[in-house]
Amino acid sequence: MSDPNWQPRIVAFFCNWCTYTAADLAGVSRLKHASNARVIRLMCSGRVDPQFILDALARGADGVLIGGCHLGDCHYGEGNYKTLRRFQMLQRLLRDMGIEDQRVRLEWISASEGERVKTVINDMVEQLRALGPLNLPQRRQDWDREMTPPAGPAGNSELAEQHAEPEAAHA
Amino acid sequence: MKYSYFPGCSLKGLGRAYEESLLPVMKHLGVELVELDDWNCCGATAYMSVDETKAAVLAARNLAIAEKAGPRDLMAPCSACYLVLNKTKHNIADFPEINAAVQRALGNAKLTYSGNVPVRHPLDILVNDVGLDVIKEKVVRPLKGLKVAPYYGCQTVRPYATFDDAWNPTTMDRLLATAGAEVVHFPLKTKCCGGSLTGTVPEAGLRLTYILLKEAVRRGADVIATACPLCQFNLDAYQDQISRRWGPARIATVYFTQLMGLAFGLSPEQLGLKRNFVPMKPLQAEPVTA
Amino acid sequence: MNTNHKNGKVRIGFYVCHCGHNIAGMVDCPAVAQYIAKLPGVVVSRDYKYMCSDPGQELIQQDIREHQLNRVVVASCSPLLHEHTFRNAVTAGGLNPFYFQMVNIREHDSWVHTDREEATAKAKSLAHAAICRVRFHRALETTRVPIHPDVLVVGGGITGIHAALTLGNAGKKVFLVERDPSIGGHMAQFDKTFPTLDCAACILTPKMSAVRSHENITLWSYSEVVKVSGYVGNYTVTVKRKPRYVNEDLCVGCLECIQACIFKEGKFPDEFNVGLSKRKPIYIPFPQAVPPVVVIDPDRCLQVRTGKCKKTCLEACADRKAIDFTQKEELVEIKVGNIIVATGFKLFDAKRIPQYGYGLYPNVVTAIELERLVNSSGPTAGEIVLRDGRPPKSVGMILCVGSRDMKTNRWCSRTCCMHSMKLAQLVREHTEADVTVFYMDIRAPGKGCEEFYDKSLKEGIQFVRGRVAEVTDWALAPEEEGKLVIRVEDTLAGFVRRIPVDMIVLATGMEPQADAQDVRRLFNMSCGTEGWFLEKHPKLAPVSTFTDGVFIAGCCQGPKDIPDSIAQAGAAAAEAMALIDKGHIEQEPNTAYIVEADCSGCKSCIPLCPYTAIAFDEAKQKAQINEALCKGCGTCVASCPSGSIRQNLFEDEEIFSEIEGVLAYV
Amino acid sequence: MMRIERRIKYEGDRVRGFAKEIMSVSGCEQLQSCIQCGTCSGTCPLSIYMDFSPRQVVALVRADFKNEVLRSHTVWLCASCYACTVECPRQIRITDIMYALKQRAIQDGIYPKRFPIAVLAKEFYEMVRRKGRITETLLVMRLFLKTNWGAALGSWRLGLGMIRTGRFGLRPEHIERRAELAAMLATADNGDGKPKERQ
């Protein structure tokens, strides 16, 4: 927070049917809001793999926003219930890692709630600004240094390796 | 049941009959009232006309004192006090700049306010906390045959009150019916009595009072019941002037708490009924006491 | 980075669209193009005024040919708008359409931000993500799903009737499901219609009869849809048929049973006459009802309620044996390819505005009540009278009751101005009364409507511009004695007026149906914040919803008059026919698939699938996905512990690279 | 002789920024969304005495006609019954706008001279500032002294009645911790918490 110009970085996962459409509606309605969120479109919030969230934080996001249809309104019936369940488990894990609850947020925003896209993003930026940078990549380096004997140049985490070349891990 | 109690200036002055009837009625129902320590004027409408921030600060001092007194709801029987305290509470919550000014001023007096004091009107407390069933049990002398026009006035139910409808409130209707009175259909129940304009611009203010009196009479009421000291004063004190100006419109106006007290078997003297300009006719079959 | 992919070296073409000033006004497009040009694999990077225009698309095709592009990224508007356009352009350039990725820098960027620098930075990072992602794209084929040719129309008002007839006339089989005992809806209650003043029954009744006799239309009145499953082209719908205790096929509508009912007089409020008259437990909704058969109200009929009645109706029906107290509720399952929802609106409850005294003063009526009074088959046989039978000498009409009011409904109900003027003219025609219309703004934009306003003015109808504050019954002047007094600021004259009248007519607005939320869930639609069903696009797809094969028409989408409702009914019918006549739909190939080698056979994915598309192959001990059933939500993909489930178009590496991309540029 | 008056307004008559100033007051933000329906005037029990109706006041404020608004006696007739605020279909807090206008009129000294309502507000304000509470009878006496001797004399009958019914309190009411209140109100004045002498 020492830098007043610091801008929190938010990676947002929006479902195609409700929240992505709501963000489009916010656009059509010219509802001005903070530019910090970068939206990745998925068909359903149920597609959000907890790994996506961890990966985003590990790569330097200060917060992650997941947007889906309201419970009971999922285009696919109940994908968002699955999201909710996973989200709750993930949040416990994140708490253990010392990552504040406000950094990973799950919001139900229906296709008609353009206004809510605006308020949620503005609100989240506000909260993240108060929390300050997460700076996980830097922190991870610090942790690694603590964990590994000082000499080894191979001290870089395996995890980081994996993420630098995603296709290597999955192909 | 225990509440902090904010009497307000009027209940110590022109409207003392309100307090004189409210306290015994509440006691009779087992409701304990603790008068707020060193309360100050709520600011009423006049203060907001001069300085909005100071009006908020003034009212907030009372809220802060109430918060210090303990986790109790704050009862404000005067409708102006009720409105101003509620409005201040809302404004502090809704507008950061007002909150900032209030907190600065309170801090200067070593007071704090975190927004946790519900401000309640006696009508709300009687109907929703005490309950009509409990009240019914206490009625020993039902107000049989007494036709009452329930008059809430403007500020009791507008615009921050949530316990009743702003246009067609019914809490007082129900209380009076429980006390055995016959409640007259009185669609003017939330019309303005003229407020302080009866004194400052009588031409306008008193005409509003006149319409209320005239309609209450036309609809067959024996008495008007009110919940506001200023309404009671306006409806009670100016009937001579009004009759001279617009024609006869004579009817007594009393506090609803006075009527409840009568139904509980308390004496008219105990309830401050002798303070009326236009006296209320004795109840039928009233036992000779004094 | 991986540049050598399956189809050789990745060669990306990037295009950023100015969209006139829409994007270029807030985003520095050339700067975005320059930034992207430096990324690995990018062969061409351009900015252009309108990418969706023919020359814009031509540009892509030319570059594909000249620069041997095998990936294309366009940064412009929302993919929900133009993804299709650009996929086609890519196909025309000779490339598989799924080698394309779109970046939304208009709705999500230039339109919602105010700082040019920030907006440009965001555009760069979003474009960067797409460049990262598109490397992993593979050639995919769309699958075709056949369309069931039958259509379900829900709601038998004028909209549903018109949609059903249009489809039926085109040779499509239609199921028309109506909740009430008769079709006809609100329009059947009207006396005349604006602005032509033609008789509502005269134009509606023939259409209602046509539905009844149409060979392609199955009419199920007194029925409700209770369950919908499946997807476009293949919906399975369960319809609940409520017992009317009268066999529709046997009843001939002679009404002798009604005569014979042990209730000698009507005793219960008649729904069709909005409570202005009474009906018996056995009744026909209105003379022209379709189907023209009686119905027994189970809550009122002695026999249904207690089983102890002389059943005089049965005797009257005699050997036609149409009355059948053994009828039970039935659930019927049908298969359709498309659904048109035309469930209409409900009228605002005037009691919610106590200031106007509806329910308190007997001579305060609603517009629909007056409509029934004017109608010659209504409760007063067409006489406009006060409750005491006298004709009114003066009538006040209050507009916008429950409309344009943030305390009740904020929208304009669109028809009340015209509806009230029509009623005003009818009152003038039927009585000697003076009519005053109290309005905020007269909205008469429809064809012939301004002329109708002019006619109203010329006929001597008074117009006072001001929203009525209150209706009271106390007099302050001699002429007010015994009257209802309207208090209003005449905003054009500039003072407050008190206007005494005999009768007050409230133009109550339109509201979404009370169960709109349930219906929306049933058909997997969205509602706007106001509760109206949400169209897919407010301009370009007004009768489509976000669920393919489900269309909306008429007032369930928002207030509208009869011509507009009919137009939407036709549009929805045409949309359904377009799908039916094509015979199949192309499905987005975003289905999930299993990499069998990785599957551990844990079965945790199986219960997750809402479409039961995942089965377990006992022999192989592996999960199996039926691609024809998969809708591509990706829920199973995210929850597979071994990572063996993958999703076309949304592969893990595609998403990871997108995350990397958006965070690459600050 | 028929007196005529030019009723035209020129752009120079507007005080630019006035609408913005009023809208910046907490609770008055909605001003802009007025649709001039007249519900406020229709509901107002006192609009029948006003030179500009509440609706017109909103229109004047929105169009920056500051002088016209502050000179009007509309704001001084507002009895704070909040009917307009509750009824407005646009949820404009008209009563709060009236307060904001009264404050500005008092600040700028533009109000009808010897007009009792403005004097009442100021006397009330002063009494609370000094005593913390109001003694209504004393307040009314001061009001009469400052505005209209005749009215005071004419009300002798009412005064007698108040003495008879025991409602005429002449003992001035006050709070105990007057210094505390003074400090608080001073904070609201300067924002630094140091009491400032008022002249």
Side-chain angles (χ1 to χ4, degrees):
Chain A
M1 281 203 290
S2 49
D3 179 8
N5 293 324
W6 173 71
Q7 288 285 356
R9 298 199 282 177
I10 300 173
V11 175
F13 297 98
F14 284 176
C15 87
N16 181 64
W17 305 100
C18 288
T19 314
Y20 193 89
T21 313
D24 275 6
L25 178 64
V28 174
S29 319
R30 312 294 201 274
L31 301 174
K32 309 292 180 203
H33 55 265
S35 69
N36 306 54
R38 310 282 192 256
V39 177
I40 293 175
R41 182 169 67 117
L42 299 168
M43 294 312 283
C44 178
S45 61
R47 176 69 181 92
V48 178
D49 190 325
Q51 285 190 69
F52 297 166
I53 299 165
L54 294 170
D55 187 66
L57 296 174
R59 286 181 183 277
D62 300 293
V64 174
L65 172 63
I66 306 152
C69 309
H70 286 270
L71 292 173
D73 293 356
C74 175
H75 188 81
Y76 303 100
E78 47 201 33
N80 49 6
Y81 281 99
K82 315 273 158 46
T83 317
L84 180 62
R85 217 162 59 192
R86 258 179 244 144
F87 174 76
Q88 285 165 339
M89 291 198 299
L90 179 73
Q91 230 174 13
R92 276 159 62 183
L93 180 78
L94 291 174
R95 242 173 259 154
D96 291 344
M97 291 167 65
I99 294 174
E100 299 87 343
D101 280 1
Q102 296 98 303
R103 291 201 187 268
V104 181
R105 198 156 150 173
L106 174 62
E107 289 287 344
W108 310 132
I109 304 176
S110 82
S112 63
E113 295 177 313
E115 184 71 34
R116 226 178 117 59
V117 172
K118 169 185 144 180
T119 46
V120 163
I121 289 179
N122 281 347
D123 185 60
M124 190 164 176
V125 169
E126 200 77 355
Q127 287 187 352
L128 292 178
R129 229 188 268 284
L131 288 175
L134 176 62
N135 210 0
L136 210 52
Q138 177 64 42
R139 279 209 245 173
R140 273 179 39 202
Q141 278 182 18
D142 295 346
W143 294 336
D144 289 344
R145 233 172 286 131
E146 287 169 28
M147 297 302 286
T148 43
N156 256 342
S157 98
E158 195 186 322
L159 199 64
E161 202 83 63
Q162 193 176 338
H163 286 300
E165 286 297 325
E167 63 275 38
H170 294 284
Chain B
M1 259 176 270
K2 198 170 174 182
Y3 299 88
S4 292
Y5 169 50
F6 180 86
C9 306
S10 282
L11 268 74
K12 300 290 181 191
L14 287 180
R16 58 183 50 170
Y18 195 1
E19 181 172 69
E20 283 164 357
S21 56
L22 177 77
L23 298 183
V25 162
M26 287 299 179
K27 196 172 168 196
H28 200 78
L29 291 166
V31 176
E32 195 185 331
L33 299 181
V34 185
E35 186 167 326
L36 215 57
D37 163 54
D38 202 39
W39 56 269
N40 57 264
C41 173
C42 70
T45 57
Y47 230 77
M48 281 184 227
S49 312
V50 179
D51 189 322
E52 189 191 43
T53 316
K54 279 191 204 151
V57 167
L58 198 62
R61 180 172 176 270
N62 294 313
L63 294 173
I65 292 173
E67 207 167 72
K68 204 161 97 182
R72 290 195 294 263
D73 292 6
L74 177 63
M75 179 198 282
C78 167
S79 43
C81 302
Y82 174 72
L83 177 129
V84 170
L85 292 175
N86 250 327
K87 179 173 186 169
T88 305
K89 188 177 152 66
H90 274 89
N91 282 355
I92 290 174
D94 295 346
F95 304 112
E97 62 280 8
I98 291 185
N99 185 36
V102 164
Q103 296 300 352
R104 217 170 31 239
L106 288 174
N108 208 28
K110 304 215 163 32
L111 285 167
T112 55
Y113 171 65
S114 56
N116 290 327
V117 187
V119 181
R120 312 274 305 275
H121 194 274
L123 284 172
D124 178 13
I125 289 172
L126 285 169
V127 171
N128 295 318
D129 292 8
V130 178
L132 294 177
D133 294 344
V134 173
I135 292 170
K136 199 180 179 107
E137 279 170 25
K138 298 277 182 189
V139 173
V140 294
R141 203 170 53 182
L143 307 171
K144 264 217 163 58
L146 185 71
K147 292 185 181 165
V148 189
Y151 177 58
Y152 298 72
C154 49
Q155 299 193 337
T156 307
V157 287
R158 288 198 289 255
Y160 299 98
T162 49
F163 70 90
D164 215 334
D165 187 77
W167 188 269
N168 183 29
T170 55
T171 41
M172 200 198 297
D173 298 44
R174 286 183 276 152
L175 273 176
L176 294 171
T178 306
E182 188 183 319
V183 181
V184 172
H185 172 58
F186 193 57
L188 298 86
K189 51 170 73 162
T190 58
K191 293 277 171 253
C192 175
C193 69
S196 59
L197 291 175
T198 49
T200 49
V201 190
E203 173 64 31
L206 288 182
R207 183 165 165 88
L208 296 178
T209 313
Y210 159 68
I211 294 171
L212 290 168
L213 293 170
K214 177 197 86 126
E215 278 301 312
V217 171
R218 185 171 81 86
R219 287 161 199 271
D222 300 319
V223 64
I224 299 174
T226 178
C228 167
L230 190 53
C231 295
Q232 199 279 334
F233 185 79
N234 282 340
L235 289 169
D236 186 29
Y238 295 103
Q239 295 197 8
D240 287 350
Q241 286 189 45
I242 287 170
S243 299
R244 258 178 279 137
R245 231 187 256 243
W246 292 289
R250 194 168 173 82
I251 182 169
T253 305
V254 299
Y255 295 104
F256 76 101
T257 42
Q258 291 177 312
L259 292 178
M260 289 182 68
L262 288 177
F264 291 166
L266 306 174
S267 77
E269 289 73 23
Q270 261 178 293
L271 297 164
L273 274 163
K274 66 177 170 25
R275 297 197 189 279
N276 262 39
F277 287 82
V278 179
M280 183 184 151
K281 288 196 200 90
L283 291 179
Q284 284 167 354
E286 190 180 333
V288 185
T289 42
Chain C
M1 263 281 156
N2 179 0
T3 46
N4 287 309
H5 213 263
K6 278 177 192 148
N7 61 336
K9 207 169 156 66
V10 167
R11 299 177 61 83
I12 306 172
F14 175 75
Y15 304 87
V16 53
C17 176
H18 293 206
C19 195
H21 275 290
N22 284 306
I23 294 171
M26 187 50 64
V27 171
D28 185 346
C29 296
V32 175
Q34 282 161 28
Y35 168 77
I36 295 296
K38 299 191 186 96
L39 297 180
V42 176
V43 181
V44 178
S45 182
R46 303 181 193 276
D47 61 296
Y48 187 73
K49 205 148 188 79
Y50 288 106
M51 282 311 297
C52 63
S53 65
D54 278 350
Q57 296 185 48
E58 184 54 42
L59 188 64
I60 296 174
Q61 291 162 27
Q62 210 178 318
D63 282 347
I64 291 174
R65 287 188 292 265
E66 280 179 18
H67 299 276
Q68 292 88 49
L69 299 181
N70 52 22
R71 299 288 189 283
V72 173
V73 173
V74 175
S76 57
C77 51
S78 170
L80 302 184
L81 205 63
H82 269 314
E83 188 171 53
H84 217 71
T85 313
F86 293 119
R87 275 184 184 168
N88 286 343
V90 169
T91 311
L95 216 54
N96 182 287
F98 299 98
Y99 283 126
F100 168 75
Q101 177 68 15
M102 192 156 173
V103 189
N104 184 344
I105 58 165
R106 194 179 71 170
E107 283 83 348
H108 287 198
D109 190 356
S110 69
W111 275 354
V112 289
H113 302 317
T114 47
D115 183 306
R116 194 173 165 83
E117 221 169 281
E118 282 181 22
T120 305
K122 181 168 175 178
K124 287 180 186 173
S125 84
L126 290 173
H128 190 141
I131 298 291
C132 292
R133 180 194 218 277
V134 82
R135 295 172 200 286
F136 297 98
H137 281 208
R138 288 178 296 124
L140 297 167
E141 295 303 325
T142 52
T143 48
R144 287 181 166 194
V145 181
I147 296 265
H148 193 289
D150 295 357
V151 182
L152 167 69
V153 176
V154 188
I158 182 59
T159 308
I161 290 173
H162 187 78
L165 285 173
T166 307
L167 287 160
N169 291 342
K172 312 299 173 203
K173 298 274 183 217
V174 181
F175 295 93
L176 177 59
V177 174
E178 165 59 47
R179 169 153 61 183
D180 285 342
S182 170
I183 57 170
H186 295 276
M187 188 177 171
Q189 291 177 296
F190 296 157
D191 182 57
K192 301 251 165 69
T193 54
F194 65 76
T196 44
L197 289 187
D198 40 358
C199 152
C202 311
I203 54 178
L204 176 64
T205 317
K207 291 186 81 106
M208 288 165 64
S209 312
V211 166
R212 165 101 171 141
S213 57
H214 206 292
E215 55 174 352
N216 288 330
I217 300 177
T218 306
L219 169 60
W220 283 340
S221 65
Y222 215 42
S223 304
E224 285 173 48
V225 175
V226 292
K227 189 166 172 251
V228 179
S229 59
Y231 47 91
V232 54
N234 296 281
Y235 286 108
T236 305
V237 179
T238 311
V239 179
K240 178 173 85 185
R241 305 212 58 202
K242 295 178 278 190
R244 62 197 298 155
Y245 302 107
V246 172
N247 187 319
E248 268 183 53
D249 300 328
L250 299 178
C251 177
V252 292
C254 69
L255 313 187
E256 274 168 37
C257 49
I258 301 178
Q259 283 289 325
C261 177
I262 58 151
F263 283 89
K264 287 284 163 272
E265 298 291 328
K267 195 168 172 234
F268 312 106
D270 182 328
E271 291 85 351
F272 185 72
N273 282 331
V274 270
L276 294 174
S277 65
K278 308 274 192 213
R279 62 159 172 81
K280 296 182 180 181
I282 186 163
Y283 66 104
I284 185 154
F286 52 100
Q288 305 92 332
V290 167
V293 295
V294 298
V295 58
I296 289 172
D297 179 346
D299 299 328
R300 312 288 196 194
C301 172
L302 224 51
Q303 176 62 24
V304 177
R305 279 173 53 219
T306 65
K308 291 185 190 126
C309 179
K310 283 192 282 179
K311 291 180 271 187
T312 41
C313 52
L314 274 183
E315 290 166 27
C317 193
D319 43 355
R320 275 194 294 272
K321 292 192 172 60
I323 297 174
D324 176 7
F325 283 109
T326 66
Q327 261 187 11
K328 294 269 175 305
E329 181 181 296
E330 244 184 294
L331 292 178
V332 192
E333 204 178 88
I334 52 172
K335 297 235 182 261
V336 295
N338 289 280
I339 298 171
I340 294 174
V341 178
T343 48
F345 65 96
K346 99 173 158 30
L347 282 168
F348 176 79
D349 176 9
K351 286 200 181 109
R352 282 171 62 195
I353 305 188
Q355 292 86 314
Y356 293 163
Y358 181 75
L360 178 64
Y361 305 122
N363 289 317
V364 177
V365 301
T366 62
I368 193 72
E369 286 170 7
L370 181 60
E371 195 79 59
R372 293 313 303 150
L373 290 179
V374 182
N375 191 275
S376 58
S377 63
T380 56
E383 295 281 318
I384 300 176
V385 288
L386 301 172
R387 299 277 172 169
D388 61 6
R390 286 180 302 134
K393 292 204 178 66
S394 49
V395 176
M397 297 196 160
I398 303 179
L399 269 54
C400 300
V401 178
S403 304
R404 300 185 68 197
D405 176 0
M406 285 161 89
K407 297 190 306 304
T408 53
N409 297 325
R410 33 185 322 179
W411 56 84
C412 165
S413 290
R414 284 188 63 187
T415 57
C416 329
C417 286
M418 292 302 297
H419 187 204
S420 297
M421 283 195 272
K422 177 198 76 180
L423 287 171
Q425 293 192 11
L426 293 179
V427 170
R428 298 279 294 172
E429 214 172 85
H430 285 63
T431 71
E432 309 277 295
D434 290 329
V435 183
T436 312
V437 174
F438 298 88
Y439 70 100
M440 290 200 273
D441 300 289
I442 288 292
R443 293 184 171 173
K447 191 172 183 181
C449 292
E450 181 64 21
E451 293 86 336
F452 195 77
Y453 178 27
D454 191 42
K455 181 164 169 256
S456 306
L457 289 164
K458 285 184 179 141
E459 285 185 9
I461 294 161
Q462 294 284 315
F463 285 81
V464 172
R465 189 194 174 280
R467 187 170 172 275
V468 171
E470 61 180 340
V471 173
T472 65
D473 69 341
W474 60 84
L476 295 177
E479 71 273 18
E480 295 175 358
E481 295 292 346
K483 302 257 183 179
L484 293 166
V485 181
I486 288 170
R487 197 179 202 267
V488 64
E489 182 186 24
D490 187 329
T491 61
L492 299 180
F495 39 68
V496 174
R497 291 174 63 183
R498 287 173 60 90
I499 302 173
V501 294
D502 291 323
M503 179 190 255
I504 286 171
V505 183
L506 304 179
T508 47
M510 294 188 201
E511 283 185 334
Q513 294 275 19
D515 59 352
Q517 291 293 332
D518 300 331
V519 173
R520 165 179 83 78
R521 291 211 175 87
L522 195 59
F523 295 103
N524 200 356
M525 301 185 288
S526 298
C527 273
T529 42
E530 283 126 359
W532 305 108
F533 297 147
L534 195 66
E535 62 280 3
K536 192 170 185 177
H537 190 279
K539 294 169 194 75
L540 302 177
V543 297
S544 303
T545 68
F546 290 101
T547 301
D548 291 341
V550 175
F551 303 97
I552 47 176
C555 289
C556 61
Q557 180 258 359
K560 49 184 68 66
D561 60 8
I562 295 168
D564 285 1
S565 299
I566 299 260
Q568 283 209 334
E575 294 275 4
M577 276 189 282
L579 285 173
I580 299 166
D581 287 354
K582 195 177 179 196
H584 66 264
I585 46 149
E586 307 262 338
Q587 256 193 331
E588 182 88 351
N590 56 13
T591 47
Y593 60 95
I594 290 187
V595 181
E596 276 193 5
D598 297 341
C599 177
S600 64
C602 75
K603 300 187 194 173
S604 59
C605 54
I606 292 171
L608 290 180
C609 181
Y611 305 98
T612 56
I614 314 180
F616 192 69
D617 185 330
E618 294 291 345
K620 289 193 198 161
Q621 288 290 303
K622 306 270 179 195
Q624 267 189 334
I625 292 179
N626 179 345
E627 273 192 51
L629 293 178
C630 175
K631 297 280 126 221
C633 66
T635 304
C636 59
V637 189
S639 52
C640 176
S642 65
S644 67
I645 312 186
R646 321 271 317 247
Q647 185 184 9
N648 289 316
L649 283 177
F650 295 92
E651 299 281 3
D652 277 355
E653 49 269 57
E654 291 173 350
I655 295 163
F656 280 122
S657 63
E658 225 176 326
I659 297 170
E660 184 196 351
V662 291
L663 291 169
Y665 186 92
V666 183
Chain D
M1 257 294 274
M2 189 175 70
R3 287 185 57 171
I4 57 167
E5 190 189 346
R6 281 204 305 163
R7 302 265 289 161
I8 190 171
K9 289 286 169 198
Y10 294 98
E11 276 306 274
D13 296 329
R14 296 168 67 188
V15 179
R16 295 298 182 131
F18 182 61
K20 268 212 172 113
E21 182 190 337
I22 296 297
M23 279 194 292
S24 70
V25 177
S26 308
C28 302
E29 309 82 359
Q30 290 288 320
L31 178 71
Q32 235 167 359
S33 61
C34 174
I35 51 171
Q36 292 285 300
C37 68
T39 307
C40 45
S41 319
T43 330
C44 177
L46 292 147
S47 57
I48 53 177
Y49 302 103
M50 293 170 175
D51 48 357
F52 289 118
S53 72
R55 171 188 61 84
Q56 289 169 321
V57 165
V58 172
L60 289 171
V61 171
R62 193 160 61 175
D64 289 328
F65 286 109
K66 177 179 179 177
N67 296 319
E68 290 73 4
V69 173
L70 294 192
R71 288 213 173 82
S72 130
H73 60 245
T74 294
V75 293
W76 302 112
L77 281 168
C78 171
S80 301
C81 80
Y82 289 87
C84 49
T85 299
V86 169
E87 294 303 311
C88 175
R90 293 284 151 152
Q91 297 182 329
I92 302 170
R93 297 191 192 181
I94 297 145
T95 315
D96 288 352
I97 294 174
M98 294 293 170
Y99 281 131
L101 294 173
K102 281 187 230 189
Q103 288 160 22
R104 273 147 195 83
I106 290 177
Q107 266 168 29
D108 294 8
I110 316 175
Y111 51 86
K113 287 292 166 254
R114 299 183 78 82
F115 196 57
I117 302 166
V119 177
L120 174 68
K122 287 180 71 176
E123 286 298 322
F124 188 106
Y125 176 85
E126 278 303 304
M127 189 180 275
V128 172
R129 195 175 67 82
R130 295 215 190 92
K131 307 284 184 191
R133 287 187 196 168
I134 287 293
T135 312
E136 291 147 315
T137 40
L138 291 176
L139 178 69
V140 171
M141 279 171 65
R142 290 187 63 90
L143 174 68
F144 280 145
L145 288 175
K146 286 211 168 175
T147 55
N148 190 349
W149 264 101
L153 289 172
S155 302
W156 64 274
R157 195 196 290 267
L158 184 59
L160 275 184
M162 278 158 61
I163 292 169
R164 183 172 55 75
T165 56
R167 289 154 82 163
F168 201 103
L170 279 174
R171 188 176 52 87
E173 294 275 344
H174 61 79
I175 63 169
E176 296 302 320
R177 302 194 293 274
R178 272 174 280 180
E180 173 184 302
L181 182 65
M184 287 175 59
L185 292 176
T187 315
D189 250 347
N190 341 324
D192 58 3
K194 289 198 190 76
K196 187 173 71 179
E197 217 32 65
R198 248 179 186 267
Q199 45 281 18

